[in-house]
Amino acid sequence: MGRGRWQHMAAEELQQQYSPSRWARRLRGDAAVQAHIEAVTAGTQRARASTRTALHVPYGEGDGERLDLYLPEEPSDTFPAFVYIHGGYWQSLRGIYLCGHSAGAHLAAMVLCTDWTEFGVVPDIRGAVLVSGVYDLEPILHTYVNDALNMSREVAQRNSPMLCVTQAVPAACEVLVAVAQHDSPEFRRQSQEYSQALRSAGWAVSLLDLASVDHFDIIEKLSEDTYILTQIILNMIARA
């Protein structure tokens, strides 16, 4: 299924392809979304109860421009920073590591293709984990998602990581693109094609196709120590 394959889909099929809750196997529709919200909320509460935190730290002037920081129990001048960007279609140090899920994976991918020298900084990003992401926004224009975003074709193309992959530099970070067995065919296609685009540009990239999970529990299971994606992330950080 090539990048132009979506252009031959009817609007109704695109709606379905880019509605992850329709592909969940455990629950369907709103029930799948609600269960995901409850799972990640419970995980957040456990994390806040077990470590030091600094919550709702502003990084901009907007109401939604806030960070929650989870800090090691023992103070240290050198510890890795792991930045997680949640999904929701953009609505809902020493060694920085990025992890993004769904629309959050898109934002993390945009970080990788940004020329940070224009802003006078060079972030030391050692690794990026992109989970069930969307990397080409143009198909989204024809779905319910764009009702709120109101993107034009030009905006969608300008903000599509698939279309702004840069040639890897010698210090380019390690990238893991993960996708769920029960993600929609379009989400799976996008993950496969984006990982190939990175590889063609010289990036160190791996594609991980995770069996028996869907768009939601692929990320929920990160709270499990024995989960393969948890182990891969910990090993990525340990290798730095």
Side-chain angles (χ1 to χ4, degrees):
M1 195 184 284
R3 181 175 177 267
R5 170 67 176 83
W6 67 266
Q7 295 174 332
H8 302 288
M9 292 182 182
E12 184 177 349
E13 186 177 2
L14 276 174
Q15 295 276 17
Q16 181 168 332
Q17 290 286 332
Y18 287 95
S19 299
S21 60
R22 298 189 183 186
W23 298 85
R25 292 294 189 268
R26 299 165 297 151
L27 297 165
R28 294 299 177 94
D30 291 343
V33 175
Q34 185 58 37
H36 177 63
I37 292 172
E38 291 173 0
V40 296
T41 298
T44 297
Q45 291 172 342
R46 289 194 300 271
R48 289 180 178 179
S50 63
T51 191
R52 295 190 302 129
T53 61
L55 304 178
H56 313 305
V57 178
Y59 64 86
E61 297 180 357
D63 290 339
E65 295 176 313
R66 299 288 187 271
L67 291 173
D68 289 341
L69 304 180
Y70 297 82
L71 306 168
E73 288 297 328
E74 297 297 327
S76 171
D77 291 331
T78 58
F79 58 86
F82 184 78
V83 182
Y84 173 69
I85 307 173
H86 64 75
Y89 275 134
W90 313 279
Q91 303 167 63
S92 348
L93 290 172
R94 230 190 125 189
I96 297 175
Y97 296 86
L98 292 176
C99 180
H101 172 235
S102 195
H106 160 268
L107 294 175
M110 289 300 291
V111 170
L112 297 183
C113 67
T114 297
D115 182 2
W116 289 102
T117 59
E118 294 184 10
F119 303 93
V121 295
V122 183
D124 185 13
I125 300 173
R126 301 290 185 87
V129 180
L130 312 177
V131 184
S132 290
V134 56
Y135 310 105
D136 178 7
L137 302 190
E138 200 170 341
I140 300 278
L141 297 178
H142 309 280
T143 73
Y144 72 96
V145 178
N146 205 41
D147 293 345
L149 299 175
N150 197 29
M151 286 188 297
S152 66
R153 186 165 182 263
E154 187 276 330
V155 168
Q157 291 179 340
R158 187 175 71 242
N159 289 281
S160 291
M162 186 84 76
L163 301 181
C164 62
V165 173
T166 58
Q167 289 294 315
V169 296
C173 72
E174 176 183 359
V175 181
L176 173 68
V177 178
V179 66
Q181 177 185 358
H182 299 304
D183 265 318
S184 76
E186 272 291 282
F187 270 84
R188 291 176 57 79
R189 174 189 69 81
Q190 289 222 17
S191 292
Q192 292 161 0
E193 293 187 4
Y194 181 61
S195 64
Q196 182 56 52
L198 289 174
R199 188 173 295 109
S200 296
W203 290 74
V205 58
S206 301
L207 176 65
L208 178 64
D209 195 336
L210 284 164
S212 304
V213 290
D214 59 34
H215 189 83
F216 303 102
D217 60 347
I218 189 175
I219 201 74
E220 292 167 13
K221 291 167 70 69
L222 280 180
S223 61
E224 302 174 8
D225 291 341
T226 57
Y227 180 44
I228 183 172
L229 188 54
T230 307
Q231 291 296 316
I232 288 173
I233 290 172
L234 292 176
N235 288 335
M236 177 186 288
I237 293 173
R239 286 197 298 272

